[in-house]
Amino acid sequence: MLKPLNPILTVAVPPHVHCGRSIRRYMVDTLIALMPAALMAVVVFRVEALRVMALSCAVAVAAEFLLNRIMRREQSVDDYSALVTGLLFAFLLPASSPWWLVVVGSFAAIALGKMIFGGLGGSPLCPALVGWAACRISWGSYMDTNATMLSSHLAAPLQQLKYFGLDAIGSIHYPDLLLGNQLGGLGAVHVAALLVGAAYLLLRGHIKWEVPAGFIAGLLLAAWVYRLMDPTVYAPPLFHLLAGGAIFGAFFLATDPSSSPIGRLPAILFGLMAGAMVVIIRVYGMYPDGVPFAILLANLFTPLLDRIRPKPFGGPYSFQSGTEGA
């Protein structure tokens, strides 16, 4: 009787070499990066901010668990991606948001922004922004921080600029904007805290510098052009960068790996497009802060931008042809 031979080759699916990273580790680092802004939100807006963040995260995790059961998929709540989506969505909400708005928006972020496309990695749009857009379009009055937080002593710089002109923001100082002393999304306005978290993600290599760099450059360039056109009407570039959720969008929303381009040049172009559209929406649109809609619109161009080939050694960039390999 012949003795069975030991296999010479072992067949396995890639990747064959692992760098030690995992989805769970990535999500934990993202949560760590968001903690400074979350802490500042609690300091400024107190228990209301804690209520919104806790409810949003709980609903997001429960929604993913329930939808996985309904779709008979393997449970994925232990990778913390739903927790991150819930917290990102909460950062875009006013601290005064009613409980039902938080529930509906967080559920929509998971169901419509993520699970309907197959789960993590398949969504063409940033999931947190999908939930925000559903609430902003359906219940705009509840999403307006200037209307729902009348008792707050904080300024609403983008609303004041939109409805009362450049003179209305003359008393608003850049250090106040940097420290988050402004109305807006409960976590999205804490610029200094968000920059600390962004630096952590960049040092950990979890986000690419090309997207936020392009975003900030596009925003500053567009605001500078408008400022040159008429400095008595249009706000300075630095105001547009520090007011509202521009920094939050640049480092935490536009860098969503599923809905942003892969290559270096596509990522830069994506950021430039999103940043420029922020200013355009703020100038011409009906929404004072155009960051969420600008990123959603840029997400639609990601498939086209991803068709830009990687640069060959010594050669230029080029677009892939749809008939290659035919």
Side-chain angles (χ1 to χ4, degrees):
M1 185 174 179
L2 294 176
K3 185 177 180 180
L5 297 175
N6 293 325
I8 300 175
L9 299 176
T10 300
V11 180
V13 296
H16 304 292
V17 179
H18 297 270
C19 62
R21 294 184 180 181
S22 64
I23 295 175
R24 182 181 297 180
R25 182 68 242 181
Y26 174 85
M27 296 302 169
V28 169
D29 282 338
T30 304
L31 290 171
I32 293 174
L34 291 170
M35 282 303 104
L39 180 61
M40 287 302 301
V42 174
V43 170
V44 174
F45 300 111
R46 303 188 182 279
V47 70
E48 290 299 306
L50 187 61
R51 172 187 64 87
V52 172
M53 290 187 288
L55 181 58
S56 179
C57 291
V59 171
V61 173
E64 182 160 319
F65 177 83
L66 178 63
L67 291 170
N68 276 328
R69 291 289 297 271
I70 293 174
M71 298 177 181
R72 298 181 180 180
R73 295 176 181 168
E74 183 179 353
Q75 285 298 339
S76 55
V77 293
D78 59 344
D79 63 12
Y80 305 134
S81 61
L83 193 62
V84 170
T85 299
L87 188 57
L88 291 175
F89 171 70
F91 270 32
L92 295 166
L93 294 176
S96 58
S97 300
W99 68 267
W100 57 265
L101 184 73
V102 181
V103 171
V104 172
S106 186
F107 185 86
I110 296 297
L112 301 180
K114 180 181 177 182
M115 300 303 293
I116 197 173
F117 296 104
L120 183 65
S123 52
L125 304 173
C126 178
L129 292 179
V130 173
W132 177 90
C135 293
R136 190 67 177 87
I137 294 172
S138 302
W139 303 285
S141 59
Y142 290 98
M143 296 287 286
D144 188 349
T145 54
N146 198 37
T148 59
M149 302 187 68
L150 296 175
S151 61
S152 175
H153 67 281
L154 297 175
L158 292 175
Q159 285 84 353
Q160 291 176 221
L161 174 65
K162 185 70 177 177
Y163 302 118
F164 303 105
L166 190 61
D167 293 337
I169 62 172
S171 60
I172 299 176
H173 304 291
Y174 292 149
D176 290 331
L177 298 179
L178 184 65
L179 296 176
N181 295 324
Q182 55 176 311
L183 286 180
L186 62 88
V189 296
H190 299 290
V191 178
L194 291 169
L195 288 174
V196 172
Y200 174 77
L201 289 181
L202 287 169
L203 290 174
R204 294 283 295 172
H206 287 324
I207 59 175
K208 299 177 293 186
W209 64 266
E210 293 89 350
V211 172
F215 187 100
I216 293 172
L219 183 147
L220 293 177
L221 180 61
W224 176 73
V225 171
Y226 278 105
R227 184 73 171 174
L228 285 180
M229 292 169 55
D230 193 343
T232 64
V233 174
Y234 301 110
L238 189 57
F239 172 85
H240 280 288
L241 181 64
L242 298 180
I247 293 297
F248 179 58
F251 288 98
F252 292 94
L253 299 177
T255 54
D256 176 60
S258 176
S259 57
S260 60
I262 298 174
R264 174 168 294 181
L265 179 60
I268 293 174
L269 294 176
F270 173 85
L272 286 170
M273 183 185 306
M277 282 194 291
V278 169
V279 178
I280 294 173
I281 294 174
R282 287 180 177 180
V283 171
Y284 300 111
M286 60 181 294
Y287 300 104
D289 191 355
V291 172
F293 280 125
I295 296 175
L296 282 173
L297 289 172
N299 287 158
L300 300 177
F301 288 89
T302 294
L304 177 62
L305 294 173
D306 272 333
R307 294 185 66 83
I308 300 178
R309 291 177 175 175
K311 182 180 179 182
F313 182 75
Y317 285 96
S318 63
F319 278 91
Q320 292 178 348
S321 172
T323 59
E324 282 187 2

